[in-house]
Each structure stands twice: as structure tokens, then as C-alpha cells.
Amino acid sequence: MRMHLDFTGRHVFVFGGTTGINFGIAQAFARCGAHVSVASRTRENVDAALAALQSQGAQACGVCADVRDFEAVGAAFAEAVQRFGPIDALVSGAAGNFLCPANAMSANGFRSVVDIDLIGSFNVLRQAYAHLRKPGASLINITAPQSMVAMRSQAHAAAAKAGVDQLTRVLALEWGADGIRVNAISPGPIDGTEGFRRLIARTPEELAQAQRDVPMGRFGTIDDIANLALFLASPHASYLSGAVIPCDGGGALDSVKPALERAALQP
Ligand code: COA
Ligand code: NAP
């Protein structure tokens, strides 16, 4: 069967959708005909994303809102829905991260990331509920491999994203009866993004090693993630709910082993 990825006239809202992976997802939906709303904290990012979407011919709406502010999140949805009607697909991907060992992290550093990634996801999903097309809406959380695989210097993000995974499953249970599907995408290292710059590698040698550590031998692209989001929002995924789907070239399967294998191969 041919994949039919036509979102003409559908309303797709991407929270945290003004830069990086999430913005790439917004652009992909726009290319498939969707009316696209994006929101994030920074006016500069919102204006730039809106201008770029409009210059590709999209009907687009941009709103400033911090996911940590429950009321502001609700107001963002109200504004977008006023413009484009009920939300057919929602991507919740706002996040913050940095590398810091737990014994050096301040309580506020830990709390900031949990507030954005986990509490922020709840705020977005909870406020969206009233504005979703029921039945039929597709909700997509953006999680990360450290939700399942322990990684050094990631206590804050790992704890927060593990919460996002479980929120995905619980809401799939609770909202399934409304005809709402809830899934999550767990991207591997995606080249050219802020998360990649902050977390993946510093030196050319580390970069080359990080690439070899992915079973498929390459880093991901923003389109790799956007294509999965299109599928999850489409009727082709109509019986898929409660899934946390790695899109990582198999990387999460092998996160500890490469180091052990390298050590074992040392003469
Ligand atoms: N190492 C250790 N602690 C850090 C840190 C780092 N690199 N960066 C920030 N923190 C700590 C701060 O010191 C502060 O704690 P303190 O008050 O005890 O000093 C706390 O985190 C909050 O920092 P602040 O800059 O006030 O937070 P913010 O709400 O403005 O920003 C962040 C949130 C820190 C997550 C920021 O990096 C951000 O906005 N990130 C968004 C972009 C991003 O991370 N993209 C990648 C997604 S994977
Ligand atoms: P990014 O460009 O920094 O994207 C984060 C987005 O969230 C930005 O648009 C940012 O815009 C917004 N945001 C941050 N804090 C916010 C807040 N408090 N309220 C509202 N919006 C907020 O990073 P990225 O690397 O593309 O990451 C995107 C998503 O993919 C994240 O969920 C991340 O955890 C996940 N991920 C990324 C990778 C990777 O390789 N990059 C791997 C695994 C998972 P403002 O600054 O304007 O608010």
C-alpha cells in the first residue's frame, strides 16, 4: 500500500517547535499541507520559525510560551485553535539539557530540566486535551535514549525523560477511549542540532567514535525523525498507541557494549 501522507488543512501544533528537530518536524508537516502552529519561550525563535514556515508557503501561527507556565501554555493553544480549529496532531518536544555529573549538579539545575522536560510535557498534554480533535488526534512526545539507558552526567535528563515515557503510556491508557493516540519518539544523535552540540562529542576523534558506535554507522538526520512523526500522525498508524519508539540506527541497543568491546580489543 502506498503511504498517504497528506495533511492538507489539518492543524498540527509543535510545542518547542521553533528550532532543531522539532522545527524540522513542523516544516515536514507544512510540506504535507498542514496548518502548523509552533510555540517556544523566545520571541526571536518564534518570529524566525514563523517567517521560515510562511516563506515555504505554509499557513502558520507562532506563539511565545514557556512550558513551565501552565496558564501560558493554555493561552497558546487557545490562540492557535482560534486560528486553525481543533488540533489533529500535537508534538511535545520542548527540552533543556547539559552535561553535568550528579555530584556537581545544583538542586536548581536538576529541577530546571525536570520542570521543562517532564512537568512541561504534562502542562502541554493536559492543556491540549480540551483542544484536540476527538476522535482522531495523535499526540507525539519527544523523549531521548537516556530515559531507558543510563548515561553518565545525565541524571536530570534521564529522570525527566523516563517520566515522559511513562506519561506517554498512562495517557495512551486514559485517552484511548476518546480516540486519542499517544506515542513517543526517542531520537538517537541527530546531526546539526543543539542537543548533539551539547551532548555528543567534543573532539574529531570522539565524533568519529560516536559515529562508529551507532550500529548503522551514521548519525541521524532531522528528516529521519520528521518522517516517523508524519507516520505516527497519519492513518497508517491508527492502531499504534502507547509506544516509545527509538529512531536511532539501533544505537540504544549498544550503548555500553562498544566501550567494553573496545577495551576487550586492546592488545
Ligand atoms: N552545568 C551545570 N549546571 C547548569 C548548566 C551546566 N552546563 N547550565 C545550567 N545549569 C544550572 C544553572 O547553574 C542553574 O542552577 P543554579 O541556580 O543552582 O546556579 C540552573 O541550571 C538553571 O539555569 P538557568 O540558566 O537559570 O535555567 P533556564 O531555565 O534559563 O534554562 C537550561 C534552562 C539550563 C536547561 C538551558 O540550558 C536551556 O534553556 N536549554 C534549552 C536548549 C537545550 O538545552 N537544547 C537541547 C535539548 S536536548
Ligand atoms: P533545541 O533546538 O534546543 O530544541 C528545543 C526547543 O524547545 C527549542 O525550540 C526551544 O526554544 C524550546 N524550549 C526549550 N525550553 C523551553 C521552555 N521552557 N518552554 C517552551 N519551549 C522551550 O534542541 P534539539 O536538539 O533539536 O532537541 C529537540 C528534542 O529532541 C528535545 O526534546 C530533545 O530532548 C530531543 N532529543 C534530541 C536529540 C539530539 O540529538 N538533538 C537526541 C535525543 C532527543 P526556546 O529556546 O525559544 O524556548
Side-chain angles (χ1 to χ4, degrees):
M1 188 172 62
R2 251 178 90 94
M3 287 265 278
H4 183 68
L5 296 175
D6 180 7
F7 290 92
T8 303
R10 299 278 173 178
H11 185 186
V12 178
F13 198 119
V14 188
F15 231 109
T18 59
T19 63
I21 295 172
N22 304 325
F23 179 59
I25 293 172
Q27 286 184 301
F29 276 106
R31 282 195 295 272
C32 293
H35 295 165
V36 177
S37 300
V38 290
S40 78
R41 290 170 303 183
T42 319
R43 168 57 58 195
E44 199 181 34
N45 286 347
V46 171
D47 287 347
L50 190 56
L53 287 165
Q54 285 170 340
S55 75
Q56 75 176 78
Q59 291 272 352
C61 169
V63 194
C64 267
D66 190 317
V67 292
R68 292 169 286 192
D69 181 342
F70 188 69
E71 299 307 326
V73 170
F77 285 127
E79 183 177 334
V81 165
Q82 172 87 10
R83 177 102 188 266
F84 294 137
I87 295 166
D88 295 284
L90 168 70
V91 179
S92 172
N97 203 353
F98 47 80
L99 287 172
C100 186
N103 63 6
M105 196 171 342
S106 70
N108 194 40
F110 189 91
R111 186 184 306 110
S112 296
V113 170
V114 172
D115 271 349
I116 299 170
D117 292 24
L118 178 56
I119 313 286
S121 295
F122 175 78
N123 291 343
V124 166
L125 297 160
R126 175 68 185 85
Q127 287 284 28
Y129 182 80
H131 300 290
L132 298 174
R133 187 176 303 285
K134 306 183 194 77
S138 168
L139 312 190
I140 302 166
N141 292 321
I142 308 298
T143 182
Q146 49 269 52
S147 71
M148 299 212 207
V149 179
M151 289 183 197
R152 287 178 178 75
S153 299
Q154 284 290 277
H156 47 332
K161 293 290 197 180
V164 170
D165 290 6
Q166 279 301 69
L167 194 55
T168 301
R169 298 182 181 107
V170 171
L171 295 189
L173 266 183
E174 292 193 8
W175 295 354
D178 293 313
I180 298 169
R181 296 182 296 106
V182 192
N183 294 291
I185 298 175
S186 182
I190 305 303
D191 209 357
T193 63
E194 184 62 22
F196 188 95
R197 274 186 287 280
R198 287 180 180 224
L199 304 181
I200 304 303
R202 268 114 228 283
T203 66
E205 294 74 29
E206 285 171 345
L207 203 61
Q209 189 56 59
Q211 192 160 344
R212 284 194 294 274
D213 284 348
V214 180
M216 290 189 70
R218 69 165 176 90
F219 295 125
T221 65
I222 290 178
D223 275 349
D224 287 327
I225 306 305
N227 286 335
L228 179 53
L230 292 174
F231 168 70
L232 285 174
S234 80
H236 293 282
S238 63
Y239 200 48
L240 187 47
S241 195
V244 177
I245 305 174
C247 187
D248 63 355
L253 299 172
D254 225 3
S255 61
V256 177
K257 236 173 68 199
L260 295 176
E261 281 169 350
R262 278 199 297 282
L265 288 170
Q266 302 280 323

